[in-house]
Amino acid sequence: MTVPDKPSRATWLQGPAAPCETVPKGGFLPWRVILLGAPGVGKGTQAELLNQRLLACHLSTGDVFRGAGSRNDAEQTPAMQEALACMRRGELVPDMTVWELVRERGECLHCTGGFILDGFPRTVPQAVSLKQFLDKDGLGLTAVVSYELPASEIVSRLGGRRTCEKCKAVYHITQRSPKVEGCCDHCGGDLFRREDDRPESIKLRLEAYNRSTEPLIEFYRKAGLLLQVSATGSPEEIYDRTMPELETRRLALAAERMWAAEENRRDT
Ligand code: AP5
């Protein structure tokens, strides 16, 4: 078996029947991170950068829906057809459909290499389902990073976005352009413009974010997991702001865990 140079997302993108070539790093405290933020704030871009450093898979629910959309209609369940119609309009997919899709990929959430969730959870009911699922097996989250950016900049980022149809790498026509126009630097795949990056869909997506996703900021603040990070500047600058926050949080978690183990040892 050849060891991939970065984690494989086969199981996440295609479903539990797909082979996963990831060789989990394992260890004391796997990174289990959620990225929150409005559409176009740069979650996918940061997930790619973080994935190279943390070696935890980048798991995006949006990528799963787009992957299903590129397959034959006959292979899609009615729930998936409804999900794709919601996505094209810029609306959120119903919670039950999203949770079913995540639940059936539960192996990825149990991976000892950890995970970076991008685009999930997006509503309070989704966050509650995820919490119950993780708590059941003692899988604690490391942190929830909430990226923040003014709406005008978000619209310009979405308007120039291009995505690789094969490996899903994300580019921008002026801010983060590929070496060869229309062609992915990583795998040579064709770059395409997402259907939901049309102005009317962008408006609906931002409204859905304000209505349904923003309450998660309070949800995770109360849980003591929230890290708020400004998404202004270049992707590298944002990454440089994110990593120290994550490292500090993880050190605190490691100290908490060692303290609890020590107390346990004394009690027995
Ligand atoms: P999803 O794919 O998750 O889309 P999203 O959350 O709307 O986020 P985006 O992927 O649009 O943006 P991003 O923040 O990842 O930004 P990116 O890095 O690409 O979901 C799509 C749809 O699926 C939803 O609308 C919904 O219908 C459905 N769905 C998915 N999950 C769901 C769920 N859990 N519940 C219900 N429905 C769900 O960056 C954007 C652009 O900016 C790129 O061109 C990039 O190159 C550029 N850029 C990034 N960073 C910078 C920077 N620092 N400076 C300049 N340009 C930058």
Side-chain angles (χ1 to χ4, degrees), residues 195-261:
E195 264 187 273
D196 58 351
D197 280 347
R198 288 170 293 120
E200 58 280 21
S201 300
I202 292 177
K203 185 168 174 284
L204 281 176
R205 286 163 66 201
L206 288 172
E207 284 167 7
Y209 172 78
N210 292 336
R211 192 175 51 247
S212 305
T213 312
E214 224 172 30
L216 286 182
I217 294 178
E218 210 35 51
F219 181 93
Y220 285 119
R221 192 198 313 280
K222 281 191 185 141
L225 287 165
L226 190 74
L227 301 176
Q228 286 178 290
V229 176
S230 159
T232 54
S234 70
E236 289 71 22
E237 285 167 338
I238 301 162
Y239 169 81
D240 288 344
R241 248 175 249 141
T242 307
M243 253 341 279
E245 298 265 3
L246 281 175
E247 296 279 12
T248 307
R249 168 83 192 141
R250 192 162 180 257
L251 276 176
L253 277 178
E256 267 173 36
R257 190 181 271 202
M258 278 163 57
W259 184 248

Coordinates of all heavy atoms in Angstrom, one line a residue, residues 195-261:
E195 N -22.3 26.7 -9.0 CA -23.6 27.2 -9.4 C -24.2 28.2 -8.3 O -24.9 29.1 -8.7 CB -24.6 26.0 -9.5 CG -24.8 25.5 -10.9 CD -25.9 24.4 -10.8 OE1 -25.6 23.2 -10.6 OE2 -27.1 24.8 -11.1
D196 N -23.9 27.9 -7.0 CA -24.4 28.7 -6.0 C -23.6 30.0 -5.8 O -23.8 30.7 -4.8 CB -24.6 28.0 -4.7 CG -23.4 27.4 -4.1 OD1 -22.3 27.4 -4.8 OD2 -23.4 26.9 -3.0
D197 N -22.7 30.3 -6.7 CA -21.9 31.6 -6.6 C -22.5 32.6 -7.4 O -21.9 33.7 -7.7 CB -20.4 31.3 -6.9 CG -19.6 30.7 -5.7 OD1 -20.2 30.8 -4.6 OD2 -18.5 30.3 -5.9
R198 N -23.8 32.4 -7.9 CA -24.5 33.5 -8.6 C -25.0 34.5 -7.6 O -25.3 34.1 -6.5 CB -25.7 32.9 -9.4 CG -25.3 32.1 -10.6 CD -26.5 31.4 -11.2 NE -26.9 30.3 -10.3 CZ -28.1 30.2 -9.8 NH1 -29.1 31.1 -10.1 NH2 -28.5 29.3 -9.0
P199 N -25.1 35.8 -8.0 CA -25.5 36.9 -7.0 C -26.7 36.5 -6.2 O -26.8 36.7 -5.0 CB -25.6 38.1 -7.9 CG -24.8 37.9 -9.1 CD -24.8 36.4 -9.3
E200 N -27.8 36.0 -6.9 CA -29.1 35.8 -6.2 C -28.9 34.6 -5.1 O -29.5 34.7 -4.1 CB -30.2 35.5 -7.1 CG -30.1 34.3 -8.1 CD -29.3 34.6 -9.4 OE1 -28.5 35.6 -9.4 OE2 -29.5 33.9 -10.3
S201 N -28.1 33.6 -5.5 CA -27.8 32.6 -4.5 C -27.0 33.0 -3.3 O -27.2 32.7 -2.2 CB -27.1 31.4 -5.1 OG -27.9 30.8 -6.2
I202 N -26.0 33.9 -3.6 CA -25.1 34.4 -2.6 C -26.0 35.2 -1.5 O -25.8 35.0 -0.3 CB -24.0 35.4 -3.2 CG1 -23.1 34.6 -4.1 CG2 -23.3 36.1 -2.1 CD1 -22.0 35.4 -4.8
K203 N -26.9 36.0 -2.0 CA -27.8 36.7 -1.1 C -28.5 35.8 -0.2 O -28.5 35.9 1.1 CB -28.8 37.6 -1.9 CG -29.6 38.5 -1.1 CD -30.3 39.5 -2.0 CE -31.3 40.3 -1.3 NZ -32.5 39.7 -0.9
L204 N -29.1 34.7 -0.8 CA -29.9 33.7 0.1 C -29.0 33.0 1.1 O -29.3 32.8 2.2 CB -30.5 32.7 -0.8 CG -31.8 33.1 -1.5 CD1 -32.3 32.0 -2.5 CD2 -32.9 33.4 -0.5
R205 N -27.7 32.7 0.6 CA -26.8 32.0 1.5 C -26.4 32.8 2.7 O -26.3 32.3 3.8 CB -25.6 31.5 0.7 CG -25.9 30.4 -0.2 CD -24.8 30.2 -1.3 NE -23.5 29.8 -0.8 CZ -22.4 30.0 -1.4 NH1 -22.4 30.6 -2.6 NH2 -21.3 29.6 -0.9
L206 N -26.2 34.1 2.4 CA -25.8 35.0 3.5 C -27.0 35.2 4.5 O -26.8 35.2 5.7 CB -25.3 36.4 3.0 CG -24.0 36.4 2.3 CD1 -23.7 37.7 1.7 CD2 -22.9 36.0 3.3
E207 N -28.2 35.2 4.0 CA -29.4 35.3 4.9 C -29.5 34.0 5.7 O -29.8 34.1 6.9 CB -30.7 35.5 4.1 CG -30.8 37.0 3.5 CD -31.9 37.1 2.5 OE1 -32.6 36.1 2.2 OE2 -31.9 38.2 1.9
A208 N -29.3 32.9 5.1 CA -29.4 31.6 5.8 C -28.4 31.5 6.9 O -28.6 31.0 8.0 CB -29.3 30.4 4.8
Y209 N -27.2 32.1 6.6 CA -26.1 32.1 7.6 C -26.5 32.9 8.8 O -26.4 32.4 9.9 CB -24.8 32.6 7.0 CG -23.7 32.8 8.0 CD1 -23.0 31.7 8.5 CD2 -23.5 34.0 8.6 CE1 -22.1 31.8 9.6 CE2 -22.6 34.1 9.7 CZ -21.9 33.0 10.1 OH -21.0 33.2 11.2
N210 N -27.0 34.1 8.5 CA -27.4 35.0 9.6 C -28.5 34.4 10.5 O -28.4 34.5 11.7 CB -27.8 36.4 9.1 CG -26.7 37.1 8.5 OD1 -25.5 36.9 8.8 ND2 -27.0 38.0 7.6
R211 N -29.4 33.8 9.8 CA -30.6 33.2 10.5 C -30.3 31.9 11.3 O -30.6 31.8 12.4 CB -31.7 33.0 9.5 CG -33.1 32.7 10.1 CD -34.1 32.6 8.9 NE -33.7 31.6 7.9 CZ -33.5 32.0 6.6 NH1 -33.5 33.2 6.2 NH2 -33.1 31.1 5.7
S212 N -29.6 31.0 10.6 CA -29.5 29.7 11.2 C -28.1 29.3 11.7 O -28.0 28.5 12.6 CB -29.8 28.6 10.1 OG -31.1 28.9 9.5
T213 N -27.0 29.9 11.2 CA -25.7 29.4 11.6 C -25.1 30.3 12.6 O -24.4 29.9 13.5 CB -24.8 29.3 10.3 OG1 -25.5 28.6 9.3 CG2 -23.5 28.6 10.7
E214 N -25.3 31.6 12.5 CA -24.7 32.6 13.5 C -25.0 32.2 15.0 O -24.2 32.3 15.8 CB -25.2 34.0 13.2 CG -24.0 34.9 13.3 CD -24.4 36.3 12.8 OE1 -25.5 36.8 13.0 OE2 -23.5 37.0 12.3
P215 N -26.3 31.7 15.3 CA -26.5 31.2 16.7 C -25.5 30.2 17.2 O -25.4 30.1 18.4 CB -27.9 30.7 16.6 CG -28.6 31.3 15.4 CD -27.5 31.5 14.4
L216 N -24.8 29.5 16.3 CA -23.8 28.5 16.8 C -22.6 29.2 17.5 O -21.9 28.5 18.2 CB -23.3 27.7 15.6 CG -24.3 26.7 15.0 CD1 -23.6 25.9 13.9 CD2 -24.7 25.7 16.1
I217 N -22.4 30.5 17.2 CA -21.3 31.2 17.8 C -21.5 31.2 19.3 O -20.7 30.8 20.1 CB -21.1 32.6 17.2 CG1 -20.7 32.5 15.7 CG2 -20.1 33.4 18.0 CD1 -20.6 33.8 15.0
E218 N -22.8 31.5 19.7 CA -23.1 31.5 21.1 C -23.1 30.1 21.7 O -22.7 29.9 22.8 CB -24.5 32.2 21.3 CG -24.8 32.9 22.5 CD -23.6 33.6 23.1 OE1 -22.9 34.4 22.4 OE2 -23.3 33.4 24.3
F219 N -23.6 29.2 20.9 CA -23.7 27.8 21.3 C -22.3 27.3 21.7 O -22.1 26.7 22.8 CB -24.2 26.9 20.2 CG -24.4 25.4 20.4 CD1 -25.6 24.9 20.9 CD2 -23.3 24.6 20.2 CE1 -25.7 23.6 21.1 CE2 -23.4 23.2 20.4 CZ -24.6 22.7 20.9
Y220 N -21.3 27.6 20.9 CA -19.9 27.1 21.1 C -19.2 28.0 22.1 O -18.3 27.5 22.8 CB -19.2 26.9 19.8 CG -19.6 25.6 19.1 CD1 -20.2 25.7 17.8 CD2 -19.5 24.4 19.7 CE1 -20.6 24.6 17.2 CE2 -20.0 23.2 19.0 CZ -20.5 23.4 17.8 OH -21.0 22.2 17.1
R221 N -19.6 29.2 22.2 CA -19.0 30.1 23.3 C -19.3 29.5 24.6 O -18.5 29.3 25.5 CB -19.5 31.5 23.1 CG -18.6 32.5 24.0 CD -19.3 33.8 24.2 NE -19.9 34.4 23.0 CZ -19.2 35.1 22.1 NH1 -17.9 35.3 22.3 NH2 -19.8 35.6 21.0
K222 N -20.6 29.2 24.8 CA -21.1 28.7 26.1 C -20.4 27.3 26.4 O -20.2 27.0 27.6 CB -22.6 28.4 26.0 CG -23.4 29.7 26.2 CD -24.9 29.4 26.5 CE -25.7 30.7 26.5 NZ -27.0 30.5 25.9
A223 N -20.1 26.6 25.4 CA -19.4 25.3 25.6 C -17.9 25.5 25.8 O -17.2 24.5 26.1 CB -19.6 24.4 24.4
G224 N -17.4 26.7 25.8 CA -16.0 27.0 26.1 C -15.1 26.6 25.0 O -13.9 26.3 25.2
L225 N -15.6 26.4 23.7 CA -14.8 25.9 22.6 C -14.5 27.0 21.6 O -13.7 26.7 20.7 CB -15.6 24.8 21.9 CG -15.7 23.5 22.7 CD1 -16.8 22.6 22.1 CD2 -14.3 22.7 22.6
L226 N -15.1 28.2 21.7 CA -15.0 29.1 20.6 C -13.7 29.9 20.5 O -13.2 30.4 21.5 CB -16.2 30.1 20.7 CG -16.4 31.0 19.5 CD1 -17.0 30.2 18.4 CD2 -17.2 32.2 19.9
L227 N -13.1 30.0 19.3 CA -12.0 30.8 19.0 C -12.4 31.8 17.9 O -12.7 31.3 16.8 CB -10.8 30.0 18.6 CG -10.2 29.0 19.5 CD1 -9.1 28.2 18.9 CD2 -9.7 29.6 20.8
Q228 N -12.5 33.1 18.1 CA -12.9 34.0 17.1 C -11.6 34.6 16.4 O -10.7 35.1 17.1 CB -13.7 35.1 17.6 CG -15.1 34.6 18.0 CD -16.0 35.6 18.6 OE1 -15.8 36.0 19.7 NE2 -17.1 36.0 17.8
V229 N -11.6 34.4 15.0 CA -10.4 34.8 14.3 C -10.8 35.7 13.1 O -11.7 35.4 12.4 CB -9.7 33.6 13.8 CG1 -8.5 34.0 12.9 CG2 -9.2 32.7 14.9
S230 N -10.1 36.9 13.0 CA -10.4 37.8 11.8 C -10.0 37.1 10.5 O -8.9 36.6 10.5 CB -9.7 39.1 12.0 OG -9.6 39.7 10.8
A231 N -10.8 37.2 9.5 CA -10.5 36.6 8.2 C -10.1 37.6 7.2 O -10.2 37.4 6.0 CB -11.7 35.8 7.7
T232 N -9.6 38.8 7.7 CA -9.0 39.7 6.7 C -7.6 39.4 6.4 O -6.9 38.7 7.2 CB -9.1 41.2 7.4 OG1 -8.4 41.1 8.6 CG2 -10.5 41.7 7.6
G233 N -7.1 39.9 5.3 CA -5.7 39.6 4.9 C -5.6 38.4 4.0 O -6.6 37.8 3.6
S234 N -4.3 38.0 3.8 CA -4.1 36.8 2.9 C -4.4 35.5 3.6 O -4.4 35.5 4.9 CB -2.6 36.8 2.4 OG -1.8 36.5 3.6
P235 N -4.7 34.4 2.9 CA -4.9 33.2 3.5 C -3.8 32.8 4.5 O -4.0 32.3 5.6 CB -5.0 32.2 2.4 CG -5.4 33.0 1.2 CD -4.8 34.4 1.4
E236 N -2.5 33.1 4.1 CA -1.4 32.7 5.0 C -1.4 33.5 6.3 O -1.1 33.0 7.4 CB -0.1 33.0 4.3 CG 0.2 32.0 3.1 CD -0.7 32.1 1.9 OE1 -1.2 33.3 1.7 OE2 -0.9 31.2 1.2
E237 N -1.8 34.8 6.2 CA -1.9 35.7 7.4 C -3.0 35.1 8.3 O -2.8 35.1 9.6 CB -2.2 37.1 7.0 CG -1.0 37.8 6.5 CD -1.4 39.2 5.8 OE1 -2.6 39.4 5.4 OE2 -0.5 40.0 5.7
I238 N -4.1 34.7 7.7 CA -5.2 34.2 8.6 C -4.8 32.8 9.2 O -5.0 32.6 10.4 CB -6.5 33.9 7.7 CG1 -6.9 35.3 7.1 CG2 -7.6 33.4 8.5 CD1 -7.8 35.1 5.9
Y239 N -4.1 32.0 8.4 CA -3.6 30.8 9.0 C -2.6 31.1 10.2 O -2.7 30.4 11.2 CB -2.9 30.0 7.9 CG -2.1 28.8 8.3 CD1 -2.7 27.6 8.6 CD2 -0.7 28.9 8.5 CE1 -1.9 26.5 9.1 CE2 0.1 27.9 9.0 CZ -0.6 26.7 9.2 OH 0.2 25.6 9.7
D240 N -1.7 32.1 10.0 CA -0.8 32.4 11.0 C -1.5 32.9 12.3 O -0.9 32.9 13.4 CB 0.2 33.5 10.5 CG 1.2 32.8 9.5 OD1 1.3 31.6 9.5 OD2 1.9 33.6 8.8
R241 N -2.7 33.5 12.1 CA -3.5 33.9 13.3 C -4.1 32.7 13.9 O -4.3 32.7 15.1 CB -4.6 34.9 12.8 CG -4.4 36.3 13.2 CD -5.5 37.1 12.5 NE -5.0 38.0 11.5 CZ -5.5 38.3 10.4 NH1 -6.6 37.8 10.0 NH2 -4.9 39.1 9.6
T242 N -4.5 31.8 13.1 CA -5.3 30.6 13.6 C -4.5 29.6 14.4 O -4.9 29.2 15.5 CB -6.0 29.9 12.5 OG1 -6.7 30.8 11.6 CG2 -6.9 28.8 12.9
M243 N -3.3 29.3 13.9 CA -2.5 28.2 14.4 C -2.1 28.4 15.9 O -2.3 27.5 16.7 CB -1.2 28.0 13.6 CG -1.2 26.7 12.7 SD -2.3 25.4 13.1 CE -1.5 24.5 14.4
P244 N -1.6 29.6 16.3 CA -1.2 29.8 17.7 C -2.4 29.7 18.6 O -2.3 29.1 19.7 CB -0.7 31.2 17.8 CG -0.4 31.6 16.4 CD -1.3 30.8 15.5
E245 N -3.6 30.1 18.1 CA -4.8 30.0 19.0 C -5.2 28.5 19.2 O -5.5 28.1 20.3 CB -6.0 30.6 18.3 CG -5.9 32.1 18.0 CD -6.5 32.9 19.1 OE1 -7.1 32.3 20.1 OE2 -6.5 34.2 19.0
L246 N -5.0 27.7 18.1 CA -5.3 26.3 18.2 C -4.3 25.6 19.1 O -4.6 24.8 20.0 CB -5.3 25.7 16.8 CG -6.5 25.9 16.0 CD1 -6.3 25.3 14.6 CD2 -7.8 25.2 16.6
E247 N -3.0 26.0 19.0 CA -1.9 25.3 19.8 C -2.2 25.6 21.3 O -2.1 24.7 22.1 CB -0.6 25.9 19.4 CG -0.1 25.5 17.9 CD 0.4 24.1 17.8 OE1 0.3 23.3 18.7 OE2 1.0 23.8 16.7
T248 N -2.5 26.9 21.6 CA -2.8 27.3 23.0 C -3.9 26.5 23.6 O -3.8 25.9 24.7 CB -3.1 28.8 23.1 OG1 -2.0 29.5 22.4 CG2 -3.2 29.2 24.5
R249 N -5.0 26.3 22.8 CA -6.2 25.6 23.2 C -5.8 24.1 23.5 O -6.2 23.5 24.4 CB -7.2 25.8 22.1 CG -8.4 24.9 22.2 CD -9.4 25.4 23.2 NE -10.4 24.4 23.5 CZ -10.9 24.1 24.6 NH1 -10.7 24.9 25.6 NH2 -11.8 23.2 24.8
R250 N -5.0 23.6 22.6 CA -4.7 22.2 22.7 C -3.8 21.9 23.9 O -3.9 20.9 24.6 CB -4.0 21.7 21.4 CG -3.9 20.2 21.3 CD -3.6 19.9 19.9 NE -3.4 18.5 19.6 CZ -2.3 17.9 19.4 NH1 -1.2 18.6 19.5 NH2 -2.2 16.6 19.1
L251 N -2.9 22.8 24.2 CA -2.0 22.7 25.3 C -2.8 22.7 26.6 O -2.6 21.9 27.5 CB -1.0 23.8 25.4 CG 0.3 23.7 24.6 CD1 1.1 24.9 24.7 CD2 1.1 22.5 25.1
A252 N -3.9 23.6 26.6 CA -4.7 23.7 27.8 C -5.5 22.4 28.0 O -5.6 21.9 29.1 CB -5.7 24.9 27.7
L253 N -6.0 21.8 26.8 CA -6.7 20.5 26.9 C -5.8 19.4 27.4 O -6.2 18.6 28.2 CB -7.2 20.1 25.5 CG -8.5 20.7 25.0 CD1 -8.8 20.3 23.6 CD2 -9.6 20.3 26.0
A254 N -4.5 19.4 26.9 CA -3.6 18.4 27.4 C -3.3 18.5 28.9 O -3.3 17.5 29.6 CB -2.3 18.5 26.6
A255 N -3.2 19.7 29.3 CA -2.9 19.9 30.8 C -4.1 19.4 31.6 O -4.0 18.7 32.6 CB -2.7 21.4 31.0
E256 N -5.4 19.8 31.1 CA -6.6 19.3 31.8 C -6.6 17.8 31.9 O -7.0 17.2 32.9 CB -7.8 19.8 31.0 CG -8.4 21.1 31.4 CD -9.5 21.5 30.4 OE1 -10.3 20.6 29.9 OE2 -9.6 22.7 30.1
R257 N -6.3 17.2 30.8 CA -6.4 15.7 30.7 C -5.3 15.1 31.7 O -5.6 14.1 32.4 CB -6.1 15.3 29.3 CG -6.4 13.8 29.1 CD -6.2 13.3 27.8 NE -7.4 13.5 26.9 CZ -7.6 12.7 25.8 NH1 -6.7 11.9 25.5 NH2 -8.7 12.9 25.1
M258 N -4.1 15.6 31.7 CA -3.1 15.1 32.6 C -3.5 15.3 34.0 O -3.3 14.4 34.9 CB -1.7 15.7 32.3 CG -1.1 15.1 31.1 SD 0.2 16.0 30.4 CE 1.3 16.3 31.7
W259 N -4.1 16.4 34.3 CA -4.5 16.7 35.7 C -5.6 15.7 36.1 O -5.6 15.2 37.2 CB -5.1 18.2 35.7 CG -5.5 18.7 37.0 CD1 -6.7 19.0 37.5 CD2 -4.6 18.9 38.2 NE1 -6.7 19.4 38.7 CE2 -5.4 19.4 39.2 CE3 -3.3 18.8 38.4 CZ2 -4.9 19.7 40.5 CZ3 -2.8 19.2 39.6 CH2 -3.6 19.6 40.7
A260 N -6.6 15.5 35.2 CA -7.7 14.5 35.5 C -7.1 13.1 35.8 O -7.5 12.4 36.7 CB -8.7 14.5 34.4
A261 N -6.1 12.7 34.9 CA -5.5 11.4 35.1 C -4.8 11.3 36.4 O -4.8 10.3 37.1 CB -4.5 11.1 33.9

